[in-house]
């Protein structure tokens, strides 16, 4: 008969306490996250089921707010604007971010200076960015049109023409955020072992072949991170656009977050509609993030 050996009770209690210590350190952060993130999200979903015009008296609507939003033709126009903006924002952020990261990585002199120059727009308040670019792109008296006028180029309606305003909004958004994505991609570049490039040079590979066959595949995990973050930023863009164009002209640059803001804070105030719009936006971002992540993981595994 074999004797079963068990740990002494005092030792088991000690190991149990040691196992709980990490969770005790996490507890304050988890409490703050639950109080300021989880609880507002749950409460927002609850409010989306009610209608209220004064913020005090609420009436049960069930899925009525969602039905009103999804059957509103203006909402689908705003969704189209948001999808166009997010797609262009993500694409340009990745392409320009990779180009800047490669250039800065190869820069021997002034590397820190160029990193700072590209990152400075990230540090500026989005509201200030919108106001400054609005002043620079004014049709009459704006800095850009004044400069072009010196070369005989007529005034360009940057913020008045629908298509130009959309391009301007996308360009300013990319200019403001691409420095942040560049740093993520630069960190990915610098984590690549230099010996793989030395082996490629020995085999006669030129710089372009090295980029296609080595840099791009090895940089894919960082690109995936940038795609996920840029997708979230693209669908949440609002502040600088609101101060740059106000959503105009004729709603051409109105995105879904502005739709939520105007329902929740501009008369007539409709908290239920604003909350329902927020829930739909959350679902869209969550679904896209999961899809991006699954596609990226699948490519990594391949």
């Amino acid at each position: 008969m074999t004797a079963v050996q068990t740990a002494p009770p005092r030792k088991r209690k000690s190991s149990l306490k040691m196992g709980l210590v990490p969770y005790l350190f996490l507890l304050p952060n988890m409490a703050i996250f639950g109080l300021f993130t989880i609880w507002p999200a749950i409460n927002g979903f609850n409010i989306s089921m009610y209608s209220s015009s004064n913020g005090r008296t609420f009436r049960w609507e069930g899925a009525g707010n969602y039905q009103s939003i999804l059957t509103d033709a203006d909402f689908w126009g705003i969704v189209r604007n948001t999808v166009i903006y997010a797609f262009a924002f993500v694409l340009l952020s990745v392409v320009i971010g990779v180009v800047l990261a490669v250039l800065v990585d190869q820069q021997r002199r002034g590397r820190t200076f160029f990193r700072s120059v590209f990152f400075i727009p990230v540090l500026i308040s989005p509201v200030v960015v919108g106001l400054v670019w609005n002043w620079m792109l004014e049709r009459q008296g704006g800095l850009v049109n004044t400069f072009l006028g010196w070369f005989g180029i007529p005034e360009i309606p940057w913020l008045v023409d629908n298509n130009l305003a959309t391009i301007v909004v996308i360009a300013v958004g990319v200019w403001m955020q691409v420095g942040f994505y560049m740093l993520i991609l630069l960190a990915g570049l610098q984590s690549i072992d230099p010996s793989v490039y030395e082996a490629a040079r020995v085999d006669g590979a030129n710089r372009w072949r090295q980029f296609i066959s080595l840099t791009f595949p090895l940089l894919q995990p960082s690109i995936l991170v940038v795609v996920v973050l840029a997708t979230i930023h693209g669908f949440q863009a609002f502040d600088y656009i609101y101060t740059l164009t106000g959503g105009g002209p004729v709603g051409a640059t109105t995105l879904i977050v502005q739709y939520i803001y105007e329902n929740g804070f501009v008369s007539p105030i409709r908290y239920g509609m604003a909350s329902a719009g927020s829930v739909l936006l959350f679902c869209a971002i969550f679904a896209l993030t999961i899809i991006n992540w699954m596609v990226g993981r699948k490519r990594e595994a391949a």
Side-chain angles (χ1 to χ4, degrees), residues 78-90:
I78 292 170
V79 170
R80 181 182 63 84
N81 295 342
T82 307
V83 171
I84 292 172
Y85 174 87
F87 178 77
F89 178 79
V90 172

Side-chain angles (χ1 to χ4, degrees), residues 65-191:
N65 290 322
Y66 293 96
Q67 186 177 3
S68 299
I69 290 176
L70 295 176
T71 55
D72 183 3
D74 292 339
F75 174 76
W76 288 109
I78 292 170
V79 170
R80 181 182 63 84
N81 295 342
T82 307
V83 171
I84 292 172
Y85 174 87
F87 178 77
F89 178 79
V90 172
L91 181 64
L92 292 173
S93 295
V94 171
V95 173
I96 297 175
V98 169
V99 171
L100 291 179
V102 170
L103 291 176
V104 171
D105 188 48
Q106 294 177 349
Q107 187 76 24
R108 296 186 181 278
R109 291 185 177 180
R111 179 183 297 183
T112 304
F113 171 76
F114 285 108
R115 285 183 193 176
S116 303
V117 167
F118 293 131
F119 191 73
I120 282 175
V122 181
L123 303 176
I124 304 174
S125 165
V127 174
V128 174
V129 168
L131 291 173
V132 170
W133 278 100
N134 179 281
W135 169 70
M136 292 174 64
L137 296 173
E138 279 186 356
R139 187 170 186 175
Q140 295 181 343
L143 186 64
V144 175
N145 276 337
T146 301
F147 176 77
L148 294 177
W150 293 345
F151 300 95
I153 300 174
E155 294 174 349
I156 298 175
W158 298 106
L159 304 178
V160 179
D161 181 84
N162 288 5
N163 295 327
L164 277 178
T166 301
I167 293 171
V168 165
V169 162
I170 294 169
V172 173
V174 173
W175 171 81
M176 189 170 61
Q177 293 290 341
V178 75
F180 174 65
Y181 303 136
M182 179 202 70
L183 288 186
I184 295 174
L185 295 165
L186 185 61
L189 281 176
Q190 294 182 345
S191 67

